[in-house]
Amino acid sequence: MAKKHLVIDPITRIEGHLRVEAIIDENNVVTDAYTSSTMFRGIEEILKGRDPRDCGLLAMRICGVCTGTHYQRSIEAVEHAFNVTIPKNARLVRNLVQGALYLHDHIVHFYHLHALDWVDITEALKADPKATVKEAHKWAGLSGHQPWNASETVYAEVQQRVTRYVKQGRLGIFGNAYWGSKGFKLTPEQNLIGLSHYLDALEVQRELGKMMAIFGGKNPHPQSFVVGGVTCVQDIKNPARIAEFKQLLKKATKFCKESYLPDVYMAGTMYADEALEGIGGGLGNFMAYGGFRTDDLPMYKGSMLFPSGIVKNKDLSKVFEIDQTKITEDVTHSWYEGKTNLHPYDGETKPNYTGFGKKEDNIAYLDTENKYSWIKSPLYDDERMEVGPLARMIVGVAKGDERITKYVTRFLKQGNLPIKVLFSTVGRTAARAIESEIMADIMMEWCDELASNTANGDLSTWTEFDFDSLSADAQGFGMEEAPRGGLGHWIKIKDGKVANYQAVVPSTWNAAPRDYKGRLGAYESSLIGTKVANPDQPLEILRTVHSFDPCIACAVHIIDTNGKELGVYKVDPIGGTSRA
Amino acid sequence: MIDSAEMVKKVFTQKSGRIETNKGEAFYNTLFNQAKSRLKTLRAQEPLKEIDLIDIIDSEGINRRDFMKWVSATTATLMLPPMFAPLVAEATELMNRVPVIWIELQDCAGNSEALLRSAAPTVDDLLFDVLSLEYQETLQAAAGHDADKQLEEAVEHFKGQYLLFVEGAIPMANNGQFGTIGASGETFHDHLIRMANDSAAVVAVGTCATFGGIPAAAPNPTGAVGVMDLVKGKPIVNIPACPANPANMVGVILHYVLTGQIPELDSLLRPKFAFGYRIHDNCERRAHFDAGEFVEEWGDEGAKNNFCLYKVGCKGPMTFNNCSIVRYNEGTNWPIGVGRGCIGCSEPDFWDKYAYERPMADANIKAPTGGVEKTVDEFGLGLLTATTVGIGVHAIASAVAGKKSDEGEE
């Protein structure tokens, strides 16, 4: 049986360097998949020996896309170690900056990193602008809104602009893509809606960057959080500044409701068959650490916007509570020393690079029998987990969280979709849109809370602590939800310095290679069963991998072995590639 | 929102600024003629995109005035006299004659993200009408083999003409295998050299690409280095900072379009127009430094009154960059604006030397002249070998200094 071995490297439109190798059968269905990150920086090693108060700025640079989320986790880990509770203003500011990051991240992800897996821009040029207006009303109407920017003039202008661009023959960032693939399912009018929103989202994301800069100083890489609180006093005590933030938030909220959600309905409906079949569903185990503190009790003791918990095997009737001591990392298939499962407090990051396996015709194949990625394989109680927006929504619904259940139910009902569509590539993408709406709505409440708190004279932004005594011997963790899922930083402090530091990031959970039992990581598992319309254009593989919003400051590259030559490889069930 | 033209004016009036802002009439006349003939040549060339920015601006009607305002501010940012403004406007139209290839190495994509936040020109203009961005992993549609092909074609097509933007450091330990790319598993090092060989010039964007940045922080587990440590025989421009300010990325391209040359650089290969003066020179909290008014700890009365952040670790006096003028996200804010000191992110080794919450024990801020009266080329050595001067001493001295700032450096 002739199988093909696809190599896709680099996987673009992600943060970082990711490689995917997929084995497809004679029906072009993925039977095996391997994901590998091909870049290592060693930031955990760099953090050792530093002053714990300085770690946040440094740990933030783990990622420039989910920028600021590592910053918060790192600072929280130290605050947890020192048992410091931050003031109300600091909590609200951090929530607002992180909330703006969620909106920014999700919108950029859907439109700029994911949309081109659903939308064929060359088809958009064939659309009739008048019919497109009607189409836009249809999808926006599902959620009871007017459509964003829907007018014949706007659509015709977008077509003109892109036609001029396409006519040049050099397509720049749109060049050499899978345009015309049978894997695209939208009508020309629907493609035009997507393209028009792609352009609008470029502006919206720029404005969302400003929101983060108002309280964070700049974006990417904000700078206003410190152990004990925040520093942006002049921005929180100025009502005009909060008003500016609210103005930008209103615009983003409008975009979410009038463009993002309708577009997800549109894509979800047009790709509903795949969703109902559960294509891209993956592990079926979902874990959320919980996130966004909504009261001022000490860390991990108060209420949260997103509840924590674990749902196994897609069974919503049962939720397990999280115990962070059950988290371990396995490095059997990762380029590190050791094999044993270690808890992050005792985690080691000692590189042991063994390189690729066989090389043929200038293609290097992953040595999948052995080590093949810079990403470790995290386990929870010896089980593999998926984290991310879908996990947050599923855990929220399973736990009966009122707010999340309301938004998820409304979304499914209005779109006339059964809950099982969530367990798929489409569902993962939809969860992100639902969550954006939740976030936009609650951020307005947090803005008002901040404004009234400062108006009442509370300008406190920092909690004092005695560094010298507290840092003699301490340990703590910052575990919360980054846009891409549960993110944890674990720190051990001795004599005022970092003794050990480990971060287990969302993409570690999702993009991990196989574990010591040979069980697949979340990306790998989600690719199994995916049918590729044309193996020379592995669009469907990209779509599923992108649905996780890969963020691999040590990335994964999907490598397709130079075009047609793909076909000449025969592959045994695992590994052992031989020339046909 | 700040008025960037006003902020740039400040640079020219700062007594402590040591950047040469007036090189004499003869110099500027020669440069003017050179730029004019360069633009004429470019205009005669086939555009990479037949899209006329000015047509678009005119057709949208509203933006013309804003565009001219931006042009005059940018002319000043590039340290050129106002007579160059019409040429800068023309150069902006002709930016689409210069292809850009952007590669990512040992990075966090922060600089790609910064490019996405570009405000002037806005990112959609940049992507569609201004830049000819041929390859950019975070944004481009193609992946895998098709992405490789896109890159190879661009290199072939624009041999010797393209600007190579490099984001991220290059790991050199373990034969460079801490970073590989593409189906063949090419190391970042080999990839960089291959791409650089056919470029017109290399622009290292962000502190990782310039000085190694975070992966090169002690103990530098991967042996990370910057572009200038490896690429030889090509003009190199460093645009450090974490991330680099998109205004400076656009500035470097504009300068290249305008003159056909890379801008004048300091000893660290940074364009002087952006890195010729210190954060401290134009800081909005400078008066508090001179008056000896400091934030002593986070959240105190000093913090509530926007006092100087030196004592809580601001490295503005040691850091060369135009953040205090250009700021971030359309001038919305900047780190010192949110009450957190500068971490010196555009300086080499800043993670080990500057990025902490305490003042530098060995910082000797030469207050009697109103600040450190050194250019970057003289500065680093003097600073690090100087004896400690108590902050109280130079705070008082700097208050006096304001009155006798013409007395020279020492």
Side-chain angles (χ1 to χ4, degrees), chain A residues 7-29:
Chain A
V7 182
I8 313 179
D9 184 349
I11 290 216
T12 51
R13 281 180 284 128
I14 62 165
E15 196 291 292
H17 298 264
L18 178 72
R19 175 189 187 103
V20 172
E21 294 190 12
I23 313 298
I24 56 171
D25 66 14
E26 66 276 18
N27 297 315
N28 293 338
V29 174

PDB file of all heavy atoms in Angstrom, chain A residues 7-29:
ATOM      1  N   VAL A   7       6.093  16.425   4.289  1.00  0.00           N
ATOM      2  CA  VAL A   7       6.904  17.203   5.215  1.00  0.00           C
ATOM      3  C   VAL A   7       6.559  18.674   5.011  1.00  0.00           C
ATOM      4  O   VAL A   7       6.660  19.177   3.892  1.00  0.00           O
ATOM      5  CB  VAL A   7       8.407  16.990   4.954  1.00  0.00           C
ATOM      6  CG1 VAL A   7       9.232  17.767   5.965  1.00  0.00           C
ATOM      7  CG2 VAL A   7       8.764  15.515   5.021  1.00  0.00           C
ATOM      8  N   ILE A   8       6.097  19.337   6.023  1.00  0.00           N
ATOM      9  CA  ILE A   8       5.764  20.759   5.879  1.00  0.00           C
ATOM     10  C   ILE A   8       6.618  21.570   6.867  1.00  0.00           C
ATOM     11  O   ILE A   8       6.440  21.480   8.077  1.00  0.00           O
ATOM     12  CB  ILE A   8       4.270  21.032   6.111  1.00  0.00           C
ATOM     13  CG1 ILE A   8       3.428  20.019   5.315  1.00  0.00           C
ATOM     14  CG2 ILE A   8       3.926  22.447   5.664  1.00  0.00           C
ATOM     15  CD1 ILE A   8       1.944  20.178   5.497  1.00  0.00           C
ATOM     16  N   ASP A   9       7.547  22.315   6.319  1.00  0.00           N
ATOM     17  CA  ASP A   9       8.469  23.132   7.122  1.00  0.00           C
ATOM     18  C   ASP A   9       8.960  24.263   6.225  1.00  0.00           C
ATOM     19  O   ASP A   9       9.575  23.976   5.198  1.00  0.00           O
ATOM     20  CB  ASP A   9       9.634  22.257   7.592  1.00  0.00           C
ATOM     21  CG  ASP A   9      10.597  23.004   8.515  1.00  0.00           C
ATOM     22  OD1 ASP A   9      10.491  24.240   8.623  1.00  0.00           O
ATOM     23  OD2 ASP A   9      11.461  22.343   9.130  1.00  0.00           O
ATOM     24  N   PRO A  10       8.720  25.515   6.522  1.00  0.00           N
ATOM     25  CA  PRO A  10       8.101  25.991   7.764  1.00  0.00           C
ATOM     26  C   PRO A  10       6.579  25.985   7.690  1.00  0.00           C
ATOM     27  O   PRO A  10       6.015  26.156   6.629  1.00  0.00           O
ATOM     28  CB  PRO A  10       8.583  27.450   7.809  1.00  0.00           C
ATOM     29  CG  PRO A  10       8.724  27.853   6.378  1.00  0.00           C
ATOM     30  CD  PRO A  10       9.149  26.614   5.650  1.00  0.00           C
ATOM     31  N   ILE A  11       5.951  25.780   8.853  1.00  0.00           N
ATOM     32  CA  ILE A  11       4.532  26.068   8.957  1.00  0.00           C
ATOM     33  C   ILE A  11       4.460  27.548   9.248  1.00  0.00           C
ATOM     34  O   ILE A  11       4.958  28.016  10.268  1.00  0.00           O
ATOM     35  CB  ILE A  11       3.881  25.250  10.066  1.00  0.00           C
ATOM     36  CG1 ILE A  11       3.858  23.813   9.596  1.00  0.00           C
ATOM     37  CG2 ILE A  11       2.482  25.770  10.360  1.00  0.00           C
ATOM     38  CD1 ILE A  11       2.680  23.015   9.971  1.00  0.00           C
ATOM     39  N   THR A  12       3.889  28.278   8.315  1.00  0.00           N
ATOM     40  CA  THR A  12       3.848  29.738   8.444  1.00  0.00           C
ATOM     41  C   THR A  12       2.561  30.174   9.134  1.00  0.00           C
ATOM     42  O   THR A  12       1.724  29.355   9.474  1.00  0.00           O
ATOM     43  CB  THR A  12       3.918  30.383   7.059  1.00  0.00           C
ATOM     44  OG1 THR A  12       2.931  29.756   6.250  1.00  0.00           O
ATOM     45  CG2 THR A  12       5.278  30.183   6.432  1.00  0.00           C
ATOM     46  N   ARG A  13       2.448  31.482   9.295  1.00  0.00           N
ATOM     47  CA  ARG A  13       1.315  32.117   9.977  1.00  0.00           C
ATOM     48  C   ARG A  13       1.127  31.561  11.392  1.00  0.00           C
ATOM     49  O   ARG A  13       0.030  31.251  11.826  1.00  0.00           O
ATOM     50  CB  ARG A  13       0.032  31.996   9.144  1.00  0.00           C
ATOM     51  CG  ARG A  13       0.008  33.022   8.014  1.00  0.00           C
ATOM     52  CD  ARG A  13      -1.250  32.923   7.180  1.00  0.00           C
ATOM     53  NE  ARG A  13      -1.195  31.792   6.296  1.00  0.00           N
ATOM     54  CZ  ARG A  13      -2.154  30.872   6.202  1.00  0.00           C
ATOM     55  NH1 ARG A  13      -3.230  30.956   6.946  1.00  0.00           N
ATOM     56  NH2 ARG A  13      -2.022  29.884   5.353  1.00  0.00           N
ATOM     57  N   ILE A  14       2.227  31.376  12.070  1.00  0.00           N
ATOM     58  CA  ILE A  14       2.188  31.003  13.467  1.00  0.00           C
ATOM     59  C   ILE A  14       3.283  31.813  14.142  1.00  0.00           C
ATOM     60  O   ILE A  14       4.025  32.511  13.465  1.00  0.00           O
ATOM     61  CB  ILE A  14       2.487  29.509  13.679  1.00  0.00           C
ATOM     62  CG1 ILE A  14       3.903  29.188  13.175  1.00  0.00           C
ATOM     63  CG2 ILE A  14       1.467  28.663  12.942  1.00  0.00           C
ATOM     64  CD1 ILE A  14       4.414  27.852  13.651  1.00  0.00           C
ATOM     65  N   GLU A  15       3.392  31.693  15.440  1.00  0.00           N
ATOM     66  CA  GLU A  15       4.528  32.291  16.118  1.00  0.00           C
ATOM     67  C   GLU A  15       5.543  31.188  16.282  1.00  0.00           C
ATOM     68  O   GLU A  15       5.291  30.210  16.968  1.00  0.00           O
ATOM     69  CB  GLU A  15       4.112  32.864  17.464  1.00  0.00           C
ATOM     70  CG  GLU A  15       5.114  33.825  18.052  1.00  0.00           C
ATOM     71  CD  GLU A  15       6.388  33.131  18.476  1.00  0.00           C
ATOM     72  OE1 GLU A  15       6.367  32.361  19.417  1.00  0.00           O
ATOM     73  OE2 GLU A  15       7.417  33.390  17.828  1.00  0.00           O
ATOM     74  N   GLY A  16       6.671  31.324  15.627  1.00  0.00           N
ATOM     75  CA  GLY A  16       7.743  30.379  15.873  1.00  0.00           C
ATOM     76  C   GLY A  16       7.994  29.405  14.742  1.00  0.00           C
ATOM     77  O   GLY A  16       7.524  29.577  13.634  1.00  0.00           O
ATOM     78  N   HIS A  17       8.766  28.387  15.070  1.00  0.00           N
ATOM     79  CA  HIS A  17       9.239  27.447  14.057  1.00  0.00           C
ATOM     80  C   HIS A  17       8.646  26.057  14.292  1.00  0.00           C
ATOM     81  O   HIS A  17       8.987  25.390  15.247  1.00  0.00           O
ATOM     82  CB  HIS A  17      10.765  27.389  14.083  1.00  0.00           C
ATOM     83  CG  HIS A  17      11.395  28.715  13.760  1.00  0.00           C
ATOM     84  ND1 HIS A  17      11.829  29.049  12.501  1.00  0.00           N
ATOM     85  CD2 HIS A  17      11.614  29.816  14.516  1.00  0.00           C
ATOM     86  CE1 HIS A  17      12.324  30.276  12.503  1.00  0.00           C
ATOM     87  NE2 HIS A  17      12.199  30.760  13.718  1.00  0.00           N
ATOM     88  N   LEU A  18       7.786  25.644  13.387  1.00  0.00           N
ATOM     89  CA  LEU A  18       7.071  24.386  13.528  1.00  0.00           C
ATOM     90  C   LEU A  18       7.204  23.566  12.254  1.00  0.00           C
ATOM     91  O   LEU A  18       7.165  24.095  11.151  1.00  0.00           O
ATOM     92  CB  LEU A  18       5.597  24.659  13.804  1.00  0.00           C
ATOM     93  CG  LEU A  18       4.655  23.469  13.948  1.00  0.00           C
ATOM     94  CD1 LEU A  18       4.892  22.746  15.262  1.00  0.00           C
ATOM     95  CD2 LEU A  18       3.211  23.923  13.892  1.00  0.00           C
ATOM     96  N   ARG A  19       7.378  22.270  12.456  1.00  0.00           N
ATOM     97  CA  ARG A  19       7.454  21.346  11.331  1.00  0.00           C
ATOM     98  C   ARG A  19       6.413  20.261  11.559  1.00  0.00           C
ATOM     99  O   ARG A  19       6.244  19.779  12.677  1.00  0.00           O
ATOM    100  CB  ARG A  19       8.858  20.726  11.306  1.00  0.00           C
ATOM    101  CG  ARG A  19       9.084  19.647  10.270  1.00  0.00           C
ATOM    102  CD  ARG A  19      10.440  18.983  10.540  1.00  0.00           C
ATOM    103  NE  ARG A  19      10.829  18.036   9.508  1.00  0.00           N
ATOM    104  CZ  ARG A  19      11.744  18.281   8.549  1.00  0.00           C
ATOM    105  NH1 ARG A  19      12.356  19.450   8.508  1.00  0.00           N
ATOM    106  NH2 ARG A  19      12.044  17.373   7.661  1.00  0.00           N
ATOM    107  N   VAL A  20       5.711  19.908  10.507  1.00  0.00           N
ATOM    108  CA  VAL A  20       4.763  18.814  10.599  1.00  0.00           C
ATOM    109  C   VAL A  20       5.121  17.784   9.543  1.00  0.00           C
ATOM    110  O   VAL A  20       5.377  18.128   8.390  1.00  0.00           O
ATOM    111  CB  VAL A  20       3.303  19.281  10.381  1.00  0.00           C
ATOM    112  CG1 VAL A  20       2.370  18.074  10.279  1.00  0.00           C
ATOM    113  CG2 VAL A  20       2.855  20.180  11.505  1.00  0.00           C
ATOM    114  N   GLU A  21       5.166  16.548   9.953  1.00  0.00           N
ATOM    115  CA  GLU A  21       5.285  15.465   8.983  1.00  0.00           C
ATOM    116  C   GLU A  21       4.027  14.620   9.113  1.00  0.00           C
ATOM    117  O   GLU A  21       3.594  14.312  10.225  1.00  0.00           O
ATOM    118  CB  GLU A  21       6.545  14.626   9.250  1.00  0.00           C
ATOM    119  CG  GLU A  21       7.820  15.422   9.020  1.00  0.00           C
ATOM    120  CD  GLU A  21       9.090  14.569   9.045  1.00  0.00           C
ATOM    121  OE1 GLU A  21       8.976  13.326   9.006  1.00  0.00           O
ATOM    122  OE2 GLU A  21      10.186  15.155   9.098  1.00  0.00           O
ATOM    123  N   ALA A  22       3.435  14.316   7.975  1.00  0.00           N
ATOM    124  CA  ALA A  22       2.197  13.540   7.997  1.00  0.00           C
ATOM    125  C   ALA A  22       2.302  12.384   7.023  1.00  0.00           C
ATOM    126  O   ALA A  22       2.874  12.521   5.947  1.00  0.00           O
ATOM    127  CB  ALA A  22       1.013  14.431   7.632  1.00  0.00           C
ATOM    128  N   ILE A  23       1.759  11.261   7.441  1.00  0.00           N
ATOM    129  CA  ILE A  23       1.709  10.097   6.558  1.00  0.00           C
ATOM    130  C   ILE A  23       0.272   9.995   6.061  1.00  0.00           C
ATOM    131  O   ILE A  23      -0.664   9.979   6.873  1.00  0.00           O
ATOM    132  CB  ILE A  23       2.047   8.786   7.323  1.00  0.00           C
ATOM    133  CG1 ILE A  23       3.301   8.955   8.178  1.00  0.00           C
ATOM    134  CG2 ILE A  23       2.155   7.618   6.352  1.00  0.00           C
ATOM    135  CD1 ILE A  23       4.554   9.262   7.423  1.00  0.00           C
ATOM    136  N   ILE A  24       0.083   9.980   4.745  1.00  0.00           N
ATOM    137  CA  ILE A  24      -1.281   9.849   4.230  1.00  0.00           C
ATOM    138  C   ILE A  24      -1.420   8.556   3.446  1.00  0.00           C
ATOM    139  O   ILE A  24      -0.471   8.085   2.819  1.00  0.00           O
ATOM    140  CB  ILE A  24      -1.684  11.058   3.355  1.00  0.00           C
ATOM    141  CG1 ILE A  24      -0.698  11.273   2.201  1.00  0.00           C
ATOM    142  CG2 ILE A  24      -1.787  12.319   4.180  1.00  0.00           C
ATOM    143  CD1 ILE A  24      -1.176  12.303   1.203  1.00  0.00           C
ATOM    144  N   ASP A  25      -2.635   7.984   3.503  1.00  0.00           N
ATOM    145  CA  ASP A  25      -2.851   6.702   2.810  1.00  0.00           C
ATOM    146  C   ASP A  25      -3.280   6.943   1.366  1.00  0.00           C
ATOM    147  O   ASP A  25      -3.291   8.078   0.887  1.00  0.00           O
ATOM    148  CB  ASP A  25      -3.841   5.830   3.579  1.00  0.00           C
ATOM    149  CG  ASP A  25      -5.240   6.432   3.604  1.00  0.00           C
ATOM    150  OD1 ASP A  25      -5.511   7.370   2.817  1.00  0.00           O
ATOM    151  OD2 ASP A  25      -6.065   5.966   4.415  1.00  0.00           O
ATOM    152  N   GLU A  26      -3.702   5.866   0.709  1.00  0.00           N
ATOM    153  CA  GLU A  26      -4.022   5.991  -0.727  1.00  0.00           C
ATOM    154  C   GLU A  26      -5.251   6.857  -0.968  1.00  0.00           C
ATOM    155  O   GLU A  26      -5.484   7.346  -2.066  1.00  0.00           O
ATOM    156  CB  GLU A  26      -4.172   4.594  -1.374  1.00  0.00           C
ATOM    157  CG  GLU A  26      -5.340   3.787  -0.876  1.00  0.00           C
ATOM    158  CD  GLU A  26      -5.032   3.024   0.427  1.00  0.00           C
ATOM    159  OE1 GLU A  26      -4.053   3.359   1.144  1.00  0.00           O
ATOM    160  OE2 GLU A  26      -5.775   2.101   0.729  1.00  0.00           O
ATOM    161  N   ASN A  27      -6.077   7.063   0.087  1.00  0.00           N
ATOM    162  CA  ASN A  27      -7.237   7.953  -0.047  1.00  0.00           C
ATOM    163  C   ASN A  27      -6.914   9.379   0.414  1.00  0.00           C
ATOM    164  O   ASN A  27      -7.805  10.193   0.616  1.00  0.00           O
ATOM    165  CB  ASN A  27      -8.405   7.426   0.777  1.00  0.00           C
ATOM    166  CG  ASN A  27      -8.859   6.068   0.274  1.00  0.00           C
ATOM    167  OD1 ASN A  27      -8.989   5.868  -0.941  1.00  0.00           O
ATOM    168  ND2 ASN A  27      -9.056   5.132   1.189  1.00  0.00           N
ATOM    169  N   ASN A  28      -5.632   9.633   0.601  1.00  0.00           N
ATOM    170  CA  ASN A  28      -5.174  10.947   1.070  1.00  0.00           C
ATOM    171  C   ASN A  28      -5.665  11.292   2.477  1.00  0.00           C
ATOM    172  O   ASN A  28      -5.882  12.459   2.809  1.00  0.00           O
ATOM    173  CB  ASN A  28      -5.579  12.064   0.103  1.00  0.00           C
ATOM    174  CG  ASN A  28      -4.864  11.937  -1.224  1.00  0.00           C
ATOM    175  OD1 ASN A  28      -3.816  11.307  -1.315  1.00  0.00           O
ATOM    176  ND2 ASN A  28      -5.433  12.537  -2.251  1.00  0.00           N
ATOM    177  N   VAL A  29      -5.896  10.275   3.284  1.00  0.00           N
ATOM    178  CA  VAL A  29      -6.303  10.511   4.665  1.00  0.00           C
ATOM    179  C   VAL A  29      -5.073  10.359   5.566  1.00  0.00           C
ATOM    180  O   VAL A  29      -4.295   9.419   5.408  1.00  0.00           O
ATOM    181  CB  VAL A  29      -7.405   9.510   5.091  1.00  0.00           C
ATOM    182  CG1 VAL A  29      -7.722   9.651   6.583  1.00  0.00           C
ATOM    183  CG2 VAL A  29      -8.661   9.745   4.262  1.00  0.00           C
TER     184      VAL A  29
END
